[in-house]
Amino acid sequence: MKVAPGFGHVEVRDIPEPEPGPGQVKIRVRAAGLCGTDLHIYKDEFRSWPPVVLGHEVAGEIAELGEGVAGLAPGMRVTTETYFSYCGECRYCRSGQINLCPERRSIGSAVNGGFTSYLIVPAHNIHLLPENVDFQAGALTEPLACVVHATLTAPTVAPGDVAVIAGPGAIGLLTLQIVKAAGATAVVLGTNADERRLMLAQELGADRVVNVQQKDPLESVRELTEGGLGADVVYECAGAGAAAQQLLTLVRRRGRYVQIGLFGKPVAWDLDQLVYKELTATGSNASTPSSWLRALELLRTGKVRTAPLITHVFPITEWEAGFATFEDRSGVKTLFVPA
């Protein structure tokens, strides 16, 4: 739980077991993923409303239904969208872009999230997990929905494209799988600290992996592109300023730059390249309801696998060890389970 504003101020606390109100569902949490946003909240780089339980990547089973909830039942295996409330009236809400609502409040930052035993969410946020997806793999539906929104809601990749993905963490490896499912050629970039992650990228279908601290990726990208012009689309998934800058050298003229990772602070970026190369640069903020439906279908059909990304599972009482795996990049995806 984030107990106060500022750097740190995260600790384990006993809190009362919540009860669902009208139109709400109580989830018994079985697994919750650690996201970079949780680390940014810890460092006070992402807005939160303490005291608040962290965690927004959740899977579990329905424990109890609030008054007026129909079509759901205790025991169902589920995951949940993250927006606890939004205004419903602004231009973004009316157009289905609730992720951009200025009044949006999400679990794990404004409202108690999933790093606990029980979670309360609006019933309309609930999605049933496919039968072939267990709780731990299902906890990664939320980051997959975010990547679906970044790559497919406004299509950024097409069959035959060459795509470069910087950052072989969980988001980058999910992006890789979606890019491959779309029929593109994929190059994944990492550093010395990413050796295991780059190996996993190969196992998940990357056409090339490049350690940028040992080899300039420009040669590999030119070899894969017509006339050596450069990548059709590049995805920054690391939240690293150096990666963002490097991608500008790898994308072709009239190509597409897509920002998915969060930096947590301002970074240096050569915006002149947008002019010289006539680039299209886009960002993506969290997910939309439609991206959840596509994410669950990708999981159901096996076109995207989340289970191979899970490298660590900790009881929530060992949250500091879990956060350390993110900081030192010793794994890919860390999950917490109730103690």
Side-chain angles (χ1 to χ4, degrees):
M1 171 180 275
K2 179 85 169 181
V3 299
F7 186 95
H9 302 302
V10 172
E11 60 187 58
V12 175
R13 283 189 178 179
D14 288 325
I15 59 174
E17 184 173 321
E19 296 299 326
Q24 295 179 338
V25 171
K26 179 178 178 179
I27 298 174
R28 179 179 291 109
V29 177
R30 295 302 192 189
L34 175 62
C35 174
T37 300
D38 298 308
L39 193 63
H40 286 306
I41 292 174
Y42 176 87
K43 295 180 177 181
D44 206 35
E45 297 171 343
F46 186 92
R47 188 180 182 189
S48 64
W49 286 258
V52 64
V53 177
L54 302 183
H56 57 273
E57 303 176 0
V58 181
E61 56 192 357
I62 294 177
E64 189 178 345
L65 301 177
E67 181 182 352
V69 176
L72 299 171
M76 286 181 168
R77 301 170 57 257
V78 298
T79 183
T80 178
E81 296 181 34
T82 60
Y83 308 145
F84 192 87
S85 64
Y86 44 89
C87 76
E89 299 177 355
C90 69
R91 64 181 296 174
Y92 303 110
C93 286
R94 293 199 307 269
S95 61
Q97 300 166 323
I98 58 176
N99 58 313
L100 300 178
C101 173
E103 302 301 319
R104 171 171 65 90
R105 298 293 181 265
S106 300
I107 61 172
S109 56
V111 181
N112 283 345
F115 291 171
T116 184
S117 297
Y118 292 96
L119 170 68
I120 301 295
V121 296
H124 59 74
N125 282 8
I126 294 291
H127 293 277
L128 300 183
L129 288 176
E131 292 184 2
N132 61 318
V133 178
D134 64 20
F135 289 127
Q136 293 191 2
L140 273 67
T141 307
E142 192 275 342
L144 177 57
C146 292
V147 174
V148 167
H149 176 54
T151 57
L152 301 179
T153 298
T156 61
V157 65
D161 279 352
V162 173
V164 176
I165 301 157
I171 294 298
L173 294 175
L174 291 172
T175 302
L176 160 66
Q177 294 181 72
I178 291 177
V179 161
K180 292 299 297 179
T185 297
V187 180
V188 178
L189 310 182
T191 65
N192 291 336
D194 295 316
E195 183 177 354
R196 286 181 58 197
R197 296 176 174 194
L198 290 173
M199 291 176 61
L200 181 55
Q202 286 184 307
E203 295 171 12
L204 292 172
D207 297 279
R208 299 274 181 94
V209 298
V210 181
N211 181 334
V212 299
Q213 289 181 293
Q214 298 181 11
K215 181 181 179 181
D216 186 343
L218 185 59
E219 179 183 351
S220 294
V221 172
R222 283 176 171 168
E223 288 175 358
L224 291 170
T225 57
E226 181 181 358
L229 295 179
D232 299 288
V233 57
V234 294
Y235 298 95
E236 204 293 313
C237 300
Q245 184 61 34
Q246 185 170 55
L247 289 177
L248 291 177
T249 70
L250 301 177
V251 64
R252 66 170 173 82
R253 296 182 181 188
R254 285 267 171 162
R256 298 178 295 282
Y257 176 102
V258 184
Q259 185 64 44
I260 303 178
L262 289 175
F263 301 106
K265 56 188 176 181
V267 298
W269 206 59
D270 184 6
L271 282 172
D272 283 349
Q273 294 305 311
L274 268 67
V275 178
Y276 296 145
K277 288 189 169 184
E278 294 192 3
L279 300 177
T280 299
T282 60
S284 108
N285 185 4
S287 61
T288 60
S290 62
S291 66
W292 278 80
L293 299 177
R294 299 181 79 171
L296 287 161
E297 182 63 11
L298 288 167
L299 290 174
R300 186 191 69 79
T301 58
K303 292 180 179 178
V304 172
R305 295 181 295 145
T306 56
L309 277 58
I310 300 167
T311 53
H312 296 81
V313 180
F314 292 97
I316 194 59
T317 50
E318 298 180 21
W319 68 270
E320 290 173 296
F323 274 50
T325 67
F326 202 106
E327 286 276 47
D328 63 20
R329 296 155 76 181
S330 58
V332 178
K333 192 66 179 180
T334 293
L335 299 183
F336 293 120
V337 296

